[in-house]
């Protein structure tokens, strides 16, 4: 059982040797990769050690049970503990999403519902900022287009984690947020108290660690500059500081006007562009391997309705995992962890079923 562990244990030992080499830390990109992999394998090493100890303890208890009833009484509990250790190790041996340790760039866009949808975008942004704060992550507002009523037509935010462990990565948690989020409530603009249904779209991209990771030919870029504007089209700058970057081979367009400096807007735009190109490359790989991945929770279908926020009933419902709770007020304050964990668990179960006994 767990034939693949020996190879991983050897890799863990090798990485430990690399981490003790001072030269490794002179190469930040390589050091980051090694630390991430070491953190991932350390979980497997600890789980394998616990499972192996459980096997030995159970075997010893069974051996002595014939002569001492006290050992026989311990057998059921040891069997249960061993089964739990085995399941934990089996889950850890499922190949991880290679992007799990990455930071992310999240885009929230207003959809069906007009002004109410724009207000909902602001609510979702606040929810994610509070969730990030609870996880100890840093956030950076890259771009926003405000609406007349105080919401946003669209907003882009970067979320950066602190842990090298892929299981604690930002992408490992927020990748499940991509899709259509539906809200049911009485809008602030509704005078007769009628409940309306609106929607907002959330896009989540793993951020590129190093600019060189995604090759972009400067000749493939069309860069336009223009004056930024605020709600209602009013001018908020007297210089051409806003930047629009078009990547000609893919047709991806990124616009930035949040900063007063054209250089800062261009740098922020390139960050988003690299993330989108990386996501597009991953989508193409996913398409090639769709038969192996189609059962997973992770989706790149941005039209999929993933969640409903029902304010009159204080209800939150995730349509992919079946999760439902009546604490929407807490969720909107950032209490997202149970919902995200339900997606992580469903994803693990589907991948475990896909690999079967191969682990």
């Amino acid at each position: 059982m767990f034939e693949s562990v020996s190879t991983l244990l050897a890799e863990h030992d090798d990485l430990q040797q690399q981490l003790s080499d001072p030269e490794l830390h002179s190469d930040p990109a390589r050091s980051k990769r090694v630390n991430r992999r070491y953190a991932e394998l350390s979980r497997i090493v600890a789980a394998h050690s616990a499972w192996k100890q459980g096997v030995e303890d159970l075997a010893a208890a069974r051996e002595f049970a014939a002569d001492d009833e006290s050992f026989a009484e311990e057998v059921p509990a040891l069997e249960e503990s061993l089964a739990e250790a085995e399941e934990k190790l089996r889950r850890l041996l499922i190949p991880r999403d290679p992007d799990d340790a990455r930071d992310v760039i999240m885009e929230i866009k207003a959809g069906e519902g007009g002004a109410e949808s724009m207000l909902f975008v602001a609510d979702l942004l606040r929810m994610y900022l509070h969730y990030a704060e609870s996880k100890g992550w840093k956030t950076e507002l890259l771009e926003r287009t405000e609406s007349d009523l105080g919401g946003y037509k669209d907003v882009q935010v970067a979320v950066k984690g602190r842990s090298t462990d892929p299981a604690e990565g930002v992408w490992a948690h927020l990748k499940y947020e991509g899709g259509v989020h539906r809200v049911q409530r009485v809008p602030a603009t509704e005078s007769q108290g009628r409940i309306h249904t609106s929607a907002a779209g959330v896009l989540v991209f793993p951020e590129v660690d190093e600019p060189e990771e995604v090759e972009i030919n400067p000749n493939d870029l069309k860069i336009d500059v223009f004056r930024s504007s605020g709600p209602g089209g009013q001018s908020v700058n007297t210089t051409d500081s806003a930047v629009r970057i078009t990547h000609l081979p893919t047709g991806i367009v990124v616009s930035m006007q949040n900063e007063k400096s054209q250089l800062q807007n261009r740098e922020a735009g390139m960050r988003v562009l690299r993330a989108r190109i990386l996501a597009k490359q991953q989508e193409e790989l996913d398409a090639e391997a769709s038969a192996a991945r189609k059962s997973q929770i992770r989706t790149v279908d941005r039209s999929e309705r993933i969640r409903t926020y029902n304010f009159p009933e204080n209800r939150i419902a995730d349509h992919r995992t079946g999760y439902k709770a009546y604490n929407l007020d807490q969720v909107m304050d950032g209490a997202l962890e149970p919902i995200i964990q339900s997606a992580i668990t469903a994803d693990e179960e589907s991948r475990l079923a896909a690999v079967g006994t191969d682990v």
Side-chain angles (χ1 to χ4, degrees):
M1 182 179 284
F2 302 132
E3 292 82 0
S4 62
V5 173
S6 59
T7 301
L8 298 177
L9 296 180
E11 183 184 355
H12 182 266
D13 289 341
D14 179 62
L15 292 174
Q16 199 166 33
Q17 292 292 327
Q18 291 184 45
L19 287 170
S20 64
D21 183 358
E23 290 188 8
L24 172 69
H25 306 286
S26 63
D27 185 345
R30 178 169 167 253
S31 177
K32 182 181 288 187
R33 290 195 300 271
V34 172
N35 272 286
R36 284 178 176 176
R37 182 59 173 165
Y38 181 76
E40 179 180 359
L41 292 181
S42 292
R43 283 176 172 257
I44 295 175
V45 170
H48 179 261
S49 177
W51 170 76
K52 188 176 179 181
Q53 186 64 53
V55 171
E56 294 173 357
D57 291 345
L58 180 58
R62 285 173 172 169
E63 182 180 347
F64 294 120
D67 301 321
D68 189 334
E69 288 187 3
S70 63
F71 284 102
E73 293 173 357
E74 294 180 12
V75 169
L78 289 172
E79 289 176 336
E80 184 177 347
S81 295
L82 180 58
E84 292 174 356
E86 181 178 318
E87 178 63 17
K88 181 177 180 179
L89 179 56
R90 189 184 300 278
R91 286 178 178 273
L92 288 173
L93 288 174
I94 303 170
R96 294 200 70 90
D97 183 331
D99 292 331
D100 274 353
R102 292 185 187 270
D103 300 324
V104 310
I105 291 177
M106 173 178 282
E107 300 183 23
I108 313 172
K109 298 176 177 290
E112 182 181 346
E116 165 62 7
S117 175
M118 297 177 198
L119 292 173
F120 184 47
V121 169
D123 292 335
L124 289 177
L125 173 63
R126 177 177 174 274
M127 177 184 75
Y128 288 124
L129 292 180
H130 281 302
Y131 176 65
E133 183 180 11
S134 73
K135 301 288 288 185
W137 298 338
K138 292 183 178 180
T139 56
E140 177 187 358
L141 195 60
L142 298 177
E143 177 69 359
R144 63 185 182 274
T145 305
E146 298 178 2
S147 70
D148 295 326
L149 295 178
Y152 297 105
K153 296 178 182 177
D154 58 77
V155 62
Q156 299 181 34
V157 60
V159 187
K160 185 177 182 65
R162 297 185 300 177
S163 176
T164 58
D165 187 347
E168 300 298 327
V170 181
W171 173 256
H173 290 75
L174 292 184
K175 63 184 175 183
Y176 304 103
E177 294 303 295
V180 175
H181 295 239
R182 185 177 68 169
V183 60
Q184 295 173 324
R185 65 183 177 187
V186 179
T189 55
E190 170 59 52
S191 60
Q192 299 182 18
R194 293 174 297 187
I195 296 173
H196 289 226
T197 298
S198 304
V202 175
L203 311 180
V204 188
F205 305 100
E207 185 163 13
V208 173
D209 289 329
E210 302 293 333
E212 299 77 17
E213 190 177 345
V214 173
E215 185 177 349
I216 299 178
N217 188 332
N219 294 327
D220 289 337
L221 299 178
K222 178 186 177 185
I223 300 178
D224 301 305
V225 295
F226 54 97
R227 292 186 181 181
S228 59
S229 60
Q234 69 188 64
S235 176
V236 294
N237 267 336
T238 56
T239 59
D240 293 339
S241 60
V243 175
R244 181 186 300 109
I245 305 174
T246 304
H247 185 242
L248 299 175
T250 60
I252 296 173
V253 180
V254 175
S255 295
M256 287 287 164
Q257 63 174 15
N258 200 49
E259 302 295 339
K260 294 181 179 180
S261 161
Q262 184 184 125
L263 178 60
Q264 289 176 310
N265 282 324
R266 177 165 177 163
E267 289 176 349
M270 289 301 296
R271 283 178 66 185
V272 175
L273 178 63
R274 282 190 288 265
R276 288 187 178 180
I277 292 175
L278 179 66
K280 184 175 179 61
Q281 292 173 348
Q282 187 61 54
E283 287 176 21
E284 292 170 352
L285 291 174
D286 288 349
E288 294 174 3
S290 60
R293 299 178 64 92
K294 63 183 179 181
S295 63
Q296 296 185 24
I297 284 290
R298 174 185 172 183
T299 178
V300 294
D301 180 3
R302 280 74 183 258
S303 65
E304 180 186 5
R305 188 188 71 193
I306 68 166
R307 195 172 297 153
T308 294
Y309 304 70
N310 187 303
F311 278 75
E313 298 179 10
N314 199 33
R315 172 171 52 85
I316 182 77
D318 192 291
H319 305 297
R320 300 159 302 172
T321 66
Y323 178 92
K324 184 185 293 186
Y326 291 86
N327 65 335
L328 179 57
D329 52 341
Q330 297 175 33
V331 170
M332 299 310 295
D333 281 335
L336 269 172
E337 192 65 18
I339 306 173
I340 290 177
Q341 286 299 325
S342 74
I344 291 174
T345 299
D347 194 4
E348 286 180 349
E349 290 176 351
S350 66
R351 287 185 287 135
L352 189 58
V355 299
T357 59
D358 291 345
V359 297

